[in-house]
Every structure is written in C-alpha cells, then in structure tokens.
Amino acid sequence: MEKGESSSAKLSEDEVWAKLIPVDSRYSEIELRLKETVICSEVMNSSSEKQEWCKITRNVDLVSAMMQNNSSKAIVIDGTVVQDEHAAVIKCGSEISLGPSDEGFVKYRLEMMPTEESRRYMQISLDVEDAKCCICLNIWHDVVTAAPCLHNFCNGCFSEWLRRSQERRSSVLCPQCRAVVQFVGRNHFLHNIEEDILLADPSLKRSSEDFVLLDSCASIKSPLVLSSRKSRRKRERSPSDAANSWEPLCPQCGIEFGGFQCNESTVHLQCQACGGMMPSRLNIGVQQHCLGCDRAFCAAYWRSQGVNGSNLHPLCSPETFKPIAERTITRIPSLAHEKNHYEQNITERCIREMTRSLQDVVADWILKLDKREIDRTRMPLNHAEMITSSTYTCSECYDKLVSFLLYWFRVTMTTHLLPSEVGQREDCWYGYACRTQHHNQEHARKRNHVCRPTRGSHM
C-alpha cells in the first residue's frame, strides 16, 4: 500500500533527524535516519577508504544523542578524548574529530534537524511564583492579561474583581499594581505555559471543585474594553469636564435603546467581524459570543436593540452571526475534507447523484447532531457538547461545523453510492490526518482520505 504522511505522526525511519557535516567540503554529509545508526565513512583525509568508526543512538529527549566509539583509535568530541568502546553525549553543534586534527583525521560537526516532536522538549527558565494569580495565590487558571500594565490573573478571579469594581467605582484598577485597566483578554500563550507547569508539578494543581467554581465565575471570553475615559490632563476637572472627556464607543453610549444606555464604567466588547463596539451585557438572553470560538460578534445584539448601522459606528450584517438552523449553504466549504479538493468533488457528485441539495444534506445531519447520533470527538469547535441547531455561531464556525458533518456524511455512505471509479480505492494509512494529500495530487486521487487513520498517533 502507498504510504501517506500523518500531520502529527512520530518521526519515521525514513526521515532525517540529524546530519554529520564534514569540515572538509570534499567529503559528503552523513544523514542519520534511524534511531540507531552505525557510521561508516572516510577516516583519514589522505585516504578514500571507508571504515566503521562509531555508532550513534538518538536519545529520548530528541535533542541529543549517544555516540559510541567503535574504532581502534581515540575520537575527540568537543576537545574531550573518547577511547575505543567508550561513549559520550553529543548535541547539535558538537565537533567530532576521528583523531588528532594535526594528523590528518576527518572532522565532522553534528547538526540536529528540528521536528515537531523535538520542539516540545525545548525548555525555558520560569519561576513558578511568576505564574501565580495575585488574587487567589495559585497557578493561573484560564489566564487573562490586563493592559496596559500586563499583569496576569485567573479568568474567574479577575471576572469577580471586575464585577465588584463596577459596582463600586467608575474605573477598574489592577488588583496587583492599582493602575487603571483599559483592556483585558484571555492569554492563549500563557495558557499553554500554565498547562506545562501543572504537568511538571502536579502538586500545584487545584481540586476539581476549585476549577468548577472558577469556571462558573469566568465571564471573559473575548477581549473587553474597560475604560473609555481620556485622562491626559492632570488638572482638577469639573463634572462637566469629566462628561466631555468620555469618548462614546458604541451607538448606546449616550443614547438609550431597549431601556439601556452605556455610561463611563460600561465594559465594551469589540466585534470580531466589523471591529465595532457594543456593551458587554450578561444574562439578557441575547448572544454576544460565538459558542464555537468564544469570539464576540455584534449582529444579534444590535438586531435585538433595533439599532441600524451608521457612519460613526460600524455594525455587522445579520448574516455574520445567527443560529445554525437559520443558516443556508450553497457550496461545500473550502475547509471540508482537510482542504482535499478531490474529496470535496466526490462529495459534491454524491449529493448531486442523490438528486438532493447540499442544504438538504446538511439539514439532515444537523438533525442527527441534535439527536446526539454523531460522535463529537473531532468536532473542531469549542464547547462541542453544547452545540445544537439553535446555537448562534459565526460564519467561520458554521463552515467548520458543515465540514465536520460532511465527513460523517461520507464515512457512513455505502460503497455502491460512491462514483464507480472511487469506490474501490484503498484507504490511506493516515486517513484524514495525511499531509501528503495536500501536496501530491496523485496520492490524493489514488487513496481514500475520508477515513480514520490506521497508522500514526491518531489510531
């Protein structure tokens, strides 16, 4: 069977993980492909005869190797002499001389090839105390960052601080340095560090009850704009000066719609589609965030307030953010079948030969989704278990959902319903995770990729 290539498969035996680069360009590079490799090459600059002189074994940390001297002479590694049958650790950049350089022995330099696997082992120095929330004094959970001071907190902790601050004062102060917070948002980079710390030291992990409590308080899903007050002048200002210094951010700043009007302390969300602002309002029964990606979108909110767009304040089209059941689709998304155009064409032909429309097929599978007849493990959306036909999503997340449903449409089709020339194709070992399908049209055409992997890490 023809091999494919998994997008996250482990390093294969055919892949080069390191090279020995000769200092003298007359000699060839030596590629290391296997976990354990016996090296046979020229030893003396004055001779073209090849001899076995060492065995190199890749270490489990993926960033170093063990070299055992198999020759009868001493080998010099970074200035250290390694005798016959002895071994030493070599790393990227290590210089290896097969004997004293002044006696004409060949010299090599080890060059490690970067891989996705090895990048995971890169280490950084971090004081755990710098990764703690100053409110609860524990390692961050779902970390958020406040600006402009750039201090970090648990989402739940800062959300509760934000709620209490809005009840007591017109501005929100940083719990750590007391600077006025103008912006706060989730920090996905530090979230990865947070997870790595807990993996390295499980004793720092809080109880599941603590996590449930923090998550129940967490209200920061997308970036929040907290302060719209201009504070460049340092002189005492009268109340009228303060009113004039307030910069309206959205149509409801200064104008009442639906019984609500923004004030100086109103927290605002920035729409991810149009860039406009809207007040952040919890528990009003109107969706302001896409459940699939947690980003803020203003279309549903302004529609509920009866507000139309203007030149001063951009507003989204209602089509950008609406319930799944109210959406229509006429083309297969470009994301479908891992962007494999050949598989997309097959799906399109299948639907056409069934004398149905894409909208009909998607509607059927949304119904199956509602009835929980589909395994949601690979659904590429946040909060996958909560997605139903009444869920509000953005256009991008809807395309991801349709692509997910079309995968299930295809894998549940019997062979006789497929076009005759594709029904007999063998499955690619790596299935939907295959990388070869993206750059090798012949492989994409020859093998079926709408299937589960049977090789690699996705088994």
Side-chain angles (χ1 to χ4, degrees), residues 413-426:
M413 289 187 71
T414 55
T415 304
H416 76 277
L417 293 176
L418 293 169
S420 57
E421 70 273 18
V422 301
Q424 302 304 316
R425 295 182 306 166
E426 294 183 10

Side-chain angles (χ1 to χ4, degrees), residues 87-102:
V89 174
I90 54 176
K91 297 181 179 181
C92 188
S94 290
E95 290 191 353
I96 304 165
S97 178
L98 280 59
S101 57
D102 57 356

Side-chain angles (χ1 to χ4, degrees), residues 259-300:
F260 177 82
Q261 179 177 326
C262 303
N263 55 42
E264 297 177 24
S265 61
T266 299
V267 174
H268 282 76
L269 298 169
Q270 184 170 31
C271 177
Q272 294 293 313
C274 69
M277 308 296 287
M278 63 178 165
S280 174
R281 300 180 64 188
L282 304 175
N283 304 320
I284 60 170
V286 179
Q287 294 294 322
Q288 294 183 286
H289 291 87
C290 170
L291 195 63
C293 61
D294 287 330
R295 295 182 299 173
F297 293 88
C298 69

Side-chain angles (χ1 to χ4, degrees), residues 286 337 436 443:
V286 179
H337 305 319
T436 307
H443 179 72

Side-chain angles (χ1 to χ4, degrees), residues 299 303 318-328 391-394:
R303 188 176 184 181
E319 297 300 316
T320 62
F321 190 60
K322 60 196 304 187
I324 291 170
E326 295 181 14
R327 290 186 172 274
T328 57
T391 299
Y392 278 75
T393 65
C394 64

Side-chain angles (χ1 to χ4, degrees), residues 49 62 238 325 345 377:
E49 180 185 357
L62 307 182
S238 65
N345 291 336
T377 304

